[in-house]
Amino acid sequence: MAAGCIPIVGFNRGAGLNARVKALFTKLLTCEAAVGVIALLIVELLPRQLMAIFGASNESISRPSCTRRRLPAELLR
């Protein structure tokens, strides 16, 4: 999304419309954060389904210990 906003930011910055650039930047950050949270939830809440999409049918890959939620442990590091 950020790459798609480059021409819009450049045009508005060049025209001296800094308020529009700031508003676009705020909207962009909000959207990027939302997409990140949604991706995190999908990975953390649906690991088996996500692995199934990519054909992970091997028992060593899809065993429960591999699909356990790792987020709390990662936050403690």
Side-chain angles (χ1 to χ4, degrees):
M1 283 190 283
C5 289
I6 292 172
I8 300 168
V9 170
F11 178 81
N12 286 304
R13 181 73 185 226
L17 303 171
N18 293 329
R20 289 180 77 177
V21 172
K22 186 175 180 179
L24 177 65
F25 185 69
T26 303
K27 289 177 186 176
L28 177 65
L29 286 179
T30 303
C31 290
E32 291 281 1
V35 168
V37 168
I38 290 169
L40 174 70
L41 290 174
I42 289 171
V43 168
E44 290 294 325
L45 298 176
L46 305 169
R48 289 179 191 260
Q49 293 84 347
L50 190 61
M51 286 191 289
I53 292 171
F54 297 102
S57 59
N58 187 348
E59 182 182 331
S60 65
I61 295 172
S62 61
R63 69 179 187 265
S65 64
C66 287
T67 60
R68 192 174 309 137
R69 291 177 181 79
R70 295 181 193 93
L71 184 61
E74 292 296 322
L75 292 174
L76 294 175
R77 287 185 183 181

